[in-house]
Amino acid sequence: MTSDLLAPLDLAFWNIESAEHPMHLGALGVFACHSPTAGAHAADLLAARAAGVTGLRMRIRDVWMPGTRLARGLTDVRLPLAFGGAAREPALDFDPLDHVRLHAPTGDFHALAGRLMQRPLERGRPPWEAHVLPGEDGTSFAVLFKFHHALADGLRALTLAAAIMDPTELPPSRPRPVEARRGLFPDPRRLPGLLRDTLSDVVSDVGRALDIGASVALSTLGVRSSPALTAEPTGTRRTAGVVLDLDEVHRVRKTAGGTVNDVLIAVVAGALRRWLDERGDGSEGVAPRALIPVSRRRPRTASPQGNRLSGYLIRLPVDEADPLRRLRVVRAAMDRNKDAGPGRGAGAVALLADHVPALGHRLGGPLVSQAARLWFDILVTSVPLPSLGLRLGGSPLTEVFPLAPLARGQSLAVAVSTYRGRVHYGLVADAEAVPDLERFAAAVRRELDVLRTACDG
């Protein structure tokens, strides 16, 4: 195994982390079983299999690294070494037992998951953990996976977690194209074309950066969010999960139009309205900015580890009383974002990480983490899952709740996955700012019923 430098966005995630705001993502999977010892057996399997997964043995350390690229077209020519970078490298002292932990039986998987999600991962070791939570009734157990965002994005985390599940029959994958190795310097005959392309790229990048910056500035105008979404952080965490029928979502989509994702985002908007009104905060005039992450990973050809993310920024129509009109507003906003593409607009701020030198990420990380509340009010992200059933120790995975990091200055994050005909909402909140997270979860369940009824009417 060899080491590799963190991609710019990975480096940003590594440096904006603090003890109160850990930058790990998670997934809480619930497994059905027929024995009270199934959880302990699962923990043994996870530890044994983790030793054989290369990605789980990688730790992150600070390195001296090349500074800024001289030019995009001259990808192998760099400025002198500068401190501030980080790289993944094999941990020679890797012990799976440091990462897989078996807990005492519990009757509430989410209560324990919330407390575990608020604990940062140990940065000196490979930044991941698996917590096995046996159920008190002996008919189920849960596994909470935690992966630092610098180690893996949602797709990469899924790959790593699936590697320590029971073996499954997967369709054969196509071999990745092998790129020819480049020398230290490009062929002199190609220099004029490379320089011309590089200047064009620089001009394009500057234009993109100005466009993104202007869009971010405009997105802050007339913002009406709710103190419930932007309370002062306490560093505590609470999680909850909601399961909906995917067929019901498709019924709404076929009647009202749009995509499944449009419907799922509209459900969040309606649930926020109901939740704010029920708790007495009020939804009148509230239109919080939701960041919708978009993966820019190229299938089979992109780096398997580096984050490749952009995003769309939309105003959630929380103040709109009509459920179908809420869905139309969401659909129109998402269509505008898709027409512009993931490289433009306020949601594409993550792309600017590529143009910040390593030392800038190190020094500016704390400032960037403080700026999240100026950029968006709530995260609503979708994490794809395989359609085939997963098992661990023969126990089938019945539910899986993705759990997103909670940015500084924000009280609630929503992650959504579909798995075997059902939609799973994973909710993460600041435990003190949102002590009634279950009430919001109930509002999510209710909102799909409201949409379906409106469609039927």
Side-chain angles (χ1 to χ4, degrees):
M1 292 184 292
T2 59
S3 62
D4 64 287
L5 295 176
L6 294 189
L9 189 54
D10 298 339
L11 191 58
F13 286 137
W14 189 247
N15 284 304
I16 66 176
E17 180 174 65
S18 66
E20 295 77 22
H21 286 84
M23 286 303 300
H24 55 254
L25 49 88
L28 181 67
V30 179
F31 297 80
C33 63
H34 301 288
S35 169
T37 63
H41 178 54
D44 291 339
L45 286 176
L46 292 175
R49 293 170 179 172
V53 179
T54 301
L56 297 180
R57 301 199 300 272
M58 304 297 284
R59 72 182 182 97
I60 297 174
R61 68 176 180 90
D62 297 329
V63 296
W64 287 85
M65 61 173 287
T68 310
R69 290 177 180 173
L70 179 60
R72 175 172 292 186
L74 314 180
T75 54
D76 293 310
V77 182
R78 297 174 180 264
L79 294 178
L81 294 176
F83 185 66
R88 300 181 190 89
E89 67 172 14
L92 300 179
D93 57 347
F94 175 69
D95 184 350
L97 296 179
D98 291 334
H99 299 267
V100 179
R101 299 165 191 177
L102 177 64
H103 293 258
T106 178
D108 188 340
F109 295 139
H110 277 287
L112 181 52
R115 295 193 294 272
L116 293 172
M117 282 295 290
Q118 73 188 35
R119 300 179 188 173
L121 294 165
E122 189 170 330
R123 291 168 73 92
R125 297 194 303 216
W128 69 276
E129 293 175 351
H131 297 268
V132 181
L133 320 177
E136 287 182 340
D137 57 5
T139 63
S140 64
F141 66 88
V143 179
L144 173 66
F145 287 103
K146 295 167 56 177
F147 294 96
H148 199 286
H149 223 318
L151 178 71
D153 60 9
L155 290 173
R156 176 65 175 167
L158 171 62
T159 300
L160 292 173
I164 48 180
M165 296 286 108
D166 291 354
T168 55
E169 292 294 330
L170 297 176
S173 59
R174 298 177 183 174
R176 292 182 181 176
V178 178
E179 295 185 2
R181 294 190 57 144
R182 299 177 180 176
L184 179 60
F185 295 100
D187 186 334
R189 293 170 295 183
R190 298 181 58 223
L191 279 174
L194 287 173
L195 291 173
R196 182 178 60 251
D197 293 344
T198 295
L199 289 175
S200 176
D201 287 342
V202 169
V203 172
S204 176
D205 287 345
V206 170
R208 176 188 293 176
L210 291 174
D211 174 81
I212 293 172
S215 298
V216 170
L218 290 173
S219 73
T220 64
L221 300 178
V223 170
R224 173 76 169 88
S225 186
S226 168
L229 298 178
T230 56
E232 286 301 315
T234 67
T236 58
R237 294 290 181 272
R238 184 186 305 273
T239 75
V242 181
V243 181
L244 304 179
D245 189 332
L246 184 58
D247 286 341
E248 296 296 309
V249 175
H250 279 297
R251 282 179 57 188
V252 172
R253 176 190 62 80
K254 290 176 182 177
T255 301
T259 67
V260 166
N261 202 40
D262 294 341
V263 176
L264 298 180
I265 295 171
V267 165
V268 174
L272 285 172
R273 176 183 176 84
R274 181 179 303 276
W275 176 60
L276 292 174
D277 287 342
E278 288 179 351
R279 73 196 321 248
D281 291 341
S283 60
E284 183 178 355
V286 174
R289 298 160 300 174
L291 177 64
I292 317 294
V294 177
S295 175
R296 299 175 66 246
R297 185 186 297 278
R298 293 180 180 178
R300 306 184 187 281
T301 58
S303 165
Q305 295 179 329
N307 279 279
R308 298 291 186 270
L309 292 174
S310 181
Y312 298 145
L313 197 70
I314 71 171
R315 295 284 185 95
L316 293 180
V318 172
D319 56 347
E320 173 55 60
D322 184 274
L324 293 180
R325 195 170 297 165
R326 282 197 296 270
L327 176 54
R328 286 195 291 271
V329 171
V330 167
R331 178 185 178 185
M334 289 297 289
D335 285 346
R336 287 194 297 270
N337 275 288
K338 292 171 186 175
D339 289 342
R344 297 282 181 178
V349 166
L351 299 182
L352 300 182
D354 290 342
H355 306 287
V356 177
L359 189 58
H361 283 295
R362 178 176 295 278
L363 298 178
L367 295 177
V368 172
S369 68
Q370 297 280 356
R373 70 167 65 191
L374 302 177
W375 176 25
F376 65 97
D377 303 301
I378 184 172
L379 177 73
V380 183
T381 184
S382 177
V383 182
L385 292 177
S387 58
L388 52 88
L390 297 175
R391 291 176 175 268
L392 179 57
S395 299
L397 177 66
T398 58
E399 297 177 339
V400 56
F401 302 99
L403 303 172
L406 195 61
R408 180 181 293 274
Q410 293 164 357
S411 305
L412 179 64
V414 179
V416 192
S417 284
T418 56
Y419 177 69
R420 298 184 70 76
R422 298 198 294 176
V423 178
H424 294 79
Y425 281 85
L427 312 177
V428 177
D430 185 291
E432 294 189 21
V434 186
D436 57 343
L437 185 60
E438 280 298 334
R439 177 181 287 180
F440 177 68
V444 171
R445 296 186 190 96
R446 175 63 181 145
E447 185 60 21
L448 182 59
D449 293 336
V450 170
L451 271 170
R452 190 189 65 244
T453 300
C455 289
D456 292 342

